[in-house]
Amino acid sequence: MRGGSEKGHDWYQGGCREHKRNSMTDFIACAQHLQQLGYSTPQQTVAHGISAGGLLVCGAMNMQPQHWAGVIAQVPFVDMLNTMSDADHPLVPLLRPDWGDPLADPVAYDYIAALSPYENVREAAYPPLLCTAGLKDDRVPYWEPAKLMANVRRRSTSAAPALLLLNPDSGHQESDQQESVLGQAARLWAFAQHCATAGKPPAV
């Protein structure tokens, strides 16, 4: 997907700033291609992203909610406009080359506002959504996924759950102890499996 560095600097720039939407539409196109080839279906495809990857999957969810059986967003950067407007946030100066400065540039304000997942939740049948957050996270504060959850719950026309899993002891990453790592992986896989098998008849 554009925005990575796999195909050089131009490929990276093709998914930055005013071109960030390309990352999301590329992600959707990859899912659709796998579905067209028969590897998956919209009822079996679960999107998963971490931090800025949470921005990616939640942005793709807003654009095409019907293409996902579920969405998992770990410590997701989903309140993009408000965070990038916070000049006191320690990471904002470092992120401005990639995202732009909505305080100084009206064009940057407009394209960030058009992408930020929290601001772009709409009335639609959203898939099941699981967000994680760390109470001590100094990169993506817990209220970003909490605000997204509240907005999805308010506007979704489906009965799918929107869940927030808040760890009161973690920061941007969970503990690296094996028990914690395996426990988190088990929870996320269980959610994904539930999403991908919901409504299917039990195996005989």
Side-chain angles (χ1 to χ4, degrees):
M1 297 174 295
R2 283 168 290 184
S5 57
E6 296 83 3
K7 295 188 176 183
H9 188 67
D10 289 344
W11 189 252
Y12 167 76
Q13 290 292 337
C16 287
R17 296 176 73 91
E18 68 272 17
H19 305 299
K20 184 59 186 174
R21 181 178 294 273
N22 289 337
S23 294
M24 299 172 184
T25 55
D26 282 5
F27 186 74
I28 293 168
C30 289
Q32 291 174 329
H33 186 60
L34 290 173
Q35 292 162 8
Q36 290 164 359
L37 291 176
Y39 288 106
S40 186
T41 68
Q43 293 75 38
Q44 296 172 302
T45 306
V46 179
H48 176 215
I50 304 173
S51 194
L55 165 69
L56 171 69
V57 299
C58 290
M61 175 186 69
N62 279 340
M63 291 178 182
Q64 298 286 347
Q66 72 277 11
H67 279 301
W68 317 104
V71 175
I72 300 171
Q74 289 181 251
V75 292
F77 177 43
V78 287
D79 192 14
M80 188 181 182
L81 182 62
N82 284 307
T83 295
M84 292 306 300
S85 298
D86 181 3
D88 295 326
H89 191 291
L91 292 180
V92 163
L94 300 176
L95 294 173
R96 281 177 181 157
D98 288 336
W99 305 114
D101 182 0
L103 296 178
D105 183 354
V107 174
Y109 183 99
D110 288 344
Y111 69 69
I112 290 174
L115 287 177
S116 182
Y118 166 68
E119 276 82 8
N120 288 281
V121 174
R122 56 192 174 89
E123 289 191 4
Y126 276 80
L129 173 63
L130 172 63
C131 286
T132 70
L135 190 62
K136 300 177 182 178
D137 193 339
D138 60 354
R139 297 186 185 183
V140 178
Y142 68 90
W143 56 80
E144 291 203 25
K147 288 169 68 175
L148 179 72
M149 285 289 111
N151 217 8
V152 169
R153 289 176 180 178
R154 181 174 66 90
R155 306 205 68 182
S156 178
T157 60
S158 76
L163 307 174
L164 176 66
L165 182 61
L166 175 65
N167 187 328
D169 299 315
S170 72
H172 196 57
Q173 300 292 336
E174 295 269 356
S175 168
D176 59 0
Q177 294 183 355
Q178 186 179 41
E179 182 178 354
S180 177
V181 172
L182 295 178
Q184 177 178 240
R187 286 191 295 271
L188 300 184
W189 275 107
F191 180 82
Q193 183 177 24
H194 174 77
C195 293
T197 57
K200 289 185 176 180
V204 177

